[in-house]
Amino acid sequence: MILDLNKTYIKVLKKQNILILGATVRSGVSIANILYDINTSLNVNIKYALSDSKTEEQLQDSIEALKDKNAKLFFGNQEISILDGITLIIISPGIPHTIDIVKEAKRRGIKIIGEIEFAYNLLPNRNYIAVTGTDGKTTTVTLIYKIISSYKKARLVGNVGNTFSKELETIEPDEDIVLELSSFQLETVEKFHAHIAAILNIAEDHLDRYKDIEEYFNAKKNISINQNKNDFLILNYDNIYTNIWYNELNNNCKMKLLTFSLKSKFADIYYNEEDEYIYYENEKLFSIKERKILGKHNVANILAAVLVCLKDNIPAEHIEHVVNNFKGIEHRVELVAEINGVKYINDSKATSMNAVMSALKSFDKDIILIMGGRNKNIDFTSLNNLIESRVKKLILIGETAEALDDMIHFENKIIIKDFTDAFNYASAISINGDTVLLSPGCASFDMFKNYEERGKYFKSLVYKLDSITKE
């Protein structure tokens, strides 16, 4: 409810002239809706407008959602003049800070925050659990949410499901707030304070936005920027980047540091591959032999989720039950069907080299790999050995097919840019025992709106093949 929101911050907002930069229904419209509800419920007049480089025709859904909200709309060409009089910008995470209007706003000294910071300031002093990393975020936060909600109230928001702003008015005082946070969202946090924060892994990603992996990791580190001695920061002991940072923090740390590992007994929580038990503080916690999700990378995700939930005081028996019955999430190493002995795996959410590597390690051999899309300046040469040892045929698709062809020196490969043609080819050459794996390693925007649409289309082709096979 609006009355539960932070009145001190509402007083701050009343003094601002706000520009919401980015007007999608998911992000910008959610922010505008909160401001409208505050104005109408509390009879105040927070001034705000929305701007987007997309045209009115492209933003019809947003215009429809805003038609009764009295918001000024600036769509299409973003003239610098719309910054006149603006004192606060709330920026959508997908907008890079290198575009002209953002650079001019910074030159003018206009304060810029993101949707997470905005929503947090309206609802501070709650139990926040935040997860970031290059890969595994959605799987991990979904598992954390399912574990916590089996025991007490929880809400899952952020980079998965609804935005934080969308859920803001309905969050109850005793709910844990579980957030999946991207590097884009973390760029603009200032006061956001997570009681429990986790960085799952760091690998090359979004290098079309960041100058190097160090700048990318620095954005991720903001997840712990306001943590204190009562808070927990959970890091991957096995990842070179998080491990180096762990060692740096260990000497001068303001929060409680914890680690998880698939390899080392020096971590606070680790997995023993021989007996398939999770060990916590060198004591057996429970077995995950009966788990439903595939892949070692998912064992790492489980370890992170278990450690988060232990520190959130969830009893081990609740954790064990949910972990061993968790079937994973759609579009992430998802078994769609097995047709004539061929497994069809949807890993459309794999948009980094690290994610493809994890998917390939989930299957021993005879993989027909469909890979490609729109690259994010990622170097895929590190995949060569793994592809050589496990892939039977590599099918390169989309805009980046030729670039991938240059990076991956695997003889048994073919370029088939069209997605449907690539799938049909994969299914035609597959035999009993093979795995057809869609793990693109690239963004979907050359052919689809997002990875979800790409994954759903892949699944539709599998279902169509399955029905034909059964006729």
Side-chain angles (χ1 to χ4, degrees):
M1 293 177 61
I2 292 296
L3 293 176
D4 293 330
L5 299 183
N6 182 5
K7 293 179 177 58
T8 302
Y9 190 62
I10 290 171
K11 287 179 182 178
V12 171
L13 294 175
K14 283 163 62 177
K15 297 176 183 178
Q16 306 299 324
N17 189 8
I18 300 168
L19 179 65
I20 301 166
L21 206 54
T24 62
V25 171
R26 175 171 167 75
S27 184
V29 171
S30 294
I31 296 165
N33 283 339
I34 288 293
L35 293 173
Y36 175 80
D37 290 348
I38 290 171
N39 280 344
T40 53
S41 299
L42 301 181
N43 194 27
V44 296
N45 183 29
I46 299 171
K47 296 182 288 295
Y48 63 95
L50 291 90
S51 175
D52 200 297
S53 60
K54 294 187 178 72
T55 63
E56 289 187 16
E57 186 178 358
Q58 292 172 303
L59 290 164
Q60 280 302 309
D61 289 347
S62 298
I63 291 170
E64 180 65 25
L66 292 164
K67 68 179 181 180
D68 300 320
K69 304 295 169 68
N70 305 318
K72 291 181 183 177
L73 307 175
F74 300 99
F75 293 158
N77 187 26
Q78 289 178 315
E79 299 288 344
I80 299 299
S81 60
I82 66 175
L83 292 175
D84 294 346
I86 296 298
T87 58
L88 176 66
I89 288 176
I90 306 174
I91 191 169
S92 293
I95 297 175
H97 290 216
T98 51
I99 65 171
D100 289 344
I101 195 166
V102 179
K103 287 196 291 187
E104 176 60 19
K106 288 181 178 180
R107 191 190 70 78
R108 295 187 187 189
I110 299 171
K111 187 176 180 64
I112 300 172
I113 64 170
E115 183 263 341
I116 296 297
E117 183 71 12
F118 164 75
Y120 172 81
N121 283 324
L122 285 168
L123 203 68
N125 305 318
R126 298 295 182 90
N127 189 32
Y128 283 96
I129 295 166
V131 175
T132 193
T134 302
D135 299 303
K137 295 185 295 296
T138 303
T139 299
T140 305
V141 294
T142 303
L143 180 54
I144 289 168
Y145 166 73
K146 286 181 178 292
I147 293 168
I148 295 173
S149 58
S150 75
Y151 184 70
K152 59 179 177 176
K153 292 179 182 177
R155 189 72 61 109
L156 178 59
V157 292
N159 203 38
V160 60
N162 287 329
T163 60
F164 190 4
S165 297
K166 176 87 171 176
E167 300 276 312
L168 201 56
E169 294 179 68
T170 61
I171 295 173
E172 297 178 29
D174 57 347
E175 283 187 87
D176 283 4
I177 301 171
V178 182
L179 287 145
E180 177 188 327
L181 297 178
S182 69
S183 59
F184 297 174
Q185 290 167 312
L186 287 165
E187 286 174 7
T188 49
V189 298
E190 292 179 5
K191 294 183 179 179
F192 174 76
H193 179 187
H195 172 50
I196 306 172
I199 302 181
L200 303 178
N201 46 62
I202 296 294
E204 283 192 351
D205 199 13
H206 299 300
L207 296 185
D208 51 346
R209 177 155 171 152
Y210 301 103
K211 66 180 180 182
D212 53 31
I213 196 165
E214 184 179 358
E215 185 179 52
Y216 167 62
F217 189 16
N218 284 338
K220 296 282 193 186
K221 289 176 182 177
N222 284 340
I223 199 167
S224 65
I225 196 169
N226 294 305
Q227 287 193 301
N228 58 46
K229 64 181 182 180
N230 299 313
D231 302 320
F232 300 96
L233 175 60
I234 294 168
L235 299 174
N236 187 340
Y237 193 86
D238 303 332
N239 181 266
I240 185 169
Y241 297 102
T242 52
N243 190 280
I244 290 170
W245 194 40
Y246 168 77
N247 287 320
E248 290 171 356
L249 287 170
N250 229 354
N251 299 322
N252 184 23
C253 192
K254 58 184 178 179
M255 74 291 281
K256 296 170 187 173
L257 270 182
L258 299 165
T259 55
F260 63 94
S261 177
L262 293 174
K263 304 171 184 176
S264 176
K265 293 180 181 179
F266 290 109
D268 295 278
I269 193 167
Y270 62 87
Y271 171 66
N272 187 322
E273 194 169 12
E274 292 179 7
D275 62 12
E276 298 194 67
Y277 264 80
I278 290 175
Y279 285 72
Y280 175 59
E281 296 179 342
N282 286 316
E283 298 287 338
K284 275 188 178 181
L285 190 64
F286 55 79
S287 170
I288 55 170
K289 188 175 183 179
E290 302 302 319
R291 66 189 182 277
K292 307 293 189 297
I293 52 177
L294 301 170
K296 267 194 176 181
H297 64 287
N298 274 326
V299 176
N301 295 335
I302 288 171
L303 291 174
V306 171
L307 192 49
V308 166
C309 293
L310 287 171
K311 292 306 169 185
D312 197 37
N313 299 313
I314 309 299
E317 58 269 23
H318 282 266
I319 300 173
E320 178 181 4
H321 175 77
V322 177
V323 163
N324 281 316
N325 287 281
F326 180 58
K327 295 180 180 178
I329 59 169
E330 191 178 16
H331 311 303
R332 193 68 183 99
V333 196
E334 175 194 10
L335 175 61
V336 182
E338 185 168 335
I339 305 170
N340 293 334
V342 178
K343 290 184 175 71
Y344 288 83
I345 306 293
N346 168 29
D347 193 37
S348 181
K349 201 173 188 302
T351 58
S352 70
M353 185 200 61
N354 203 50
V356 179
M357 193 174 285
S358 295
L360 290 172
K361 287 178 179 177
S362 300
F363 310 96
D364 291 332
K365 58 180 181 176
D366 296 329
I367 300 169
I368 299 170
L369 174 62
I370 302 173
M371 189 178 167
R374 177 167 293 171
N375 197 4
K376 297 178 282 184
N377 290 340
I378 299 171
D379 182 357
F380 286 91
T381 54
S382 296
L383 280 180
N384 273 292
N385 289 340
L386 199 56
I387 286 175
E388 191 69 45
S389 63
R390 302 192 183 211
V391 172
K392 179 178 178 179
K393 188 79 177 186
L394 174 62
I395 304 169
L396 301 173
I397 64 172
E399 279 182 9
T400 195
E402 285 87 359
L404 286 171
D405 187 37
D406 290 337
M407 285 185 264
I408 299 172
H409 312 304
F410 179 63
E411 286 189 12
N412 201 9
K413 61 185 173 181
I414 185 170
I415 293 176
I416 305 177
K417 290 198 171 185
D418 181 78
F419 193 94
T420 308
D421 290 346
F423 175 83
N424 290 338
Y425 177 80
S427 62
I429 65 168
S430 63
I431 59 173
N432 189 342
D434 287 351
T435 298
V436 174
L437 171 64
L438 170 68
S439 191
C442 301
S444 57
F445 308 127
D446 56 335
M447 291 181 274
F448 301 95
K449 285 191 300 185
N450 48 45
Y451 77 82
E452 291 101 330
E453 185 180 72
R454 177 171 61 190
K456 287 182 187 297
Y457 185 67
F458 176 80
K459 290 168 73 170
S460 74
L461 294 174
V462 176
Y463 296 144
K464 182 178 178 183
L465 176 67
D466 195 25
S467 64
I468 292 170
T469 306
K470 289 174 179 175
E471 286 179 357

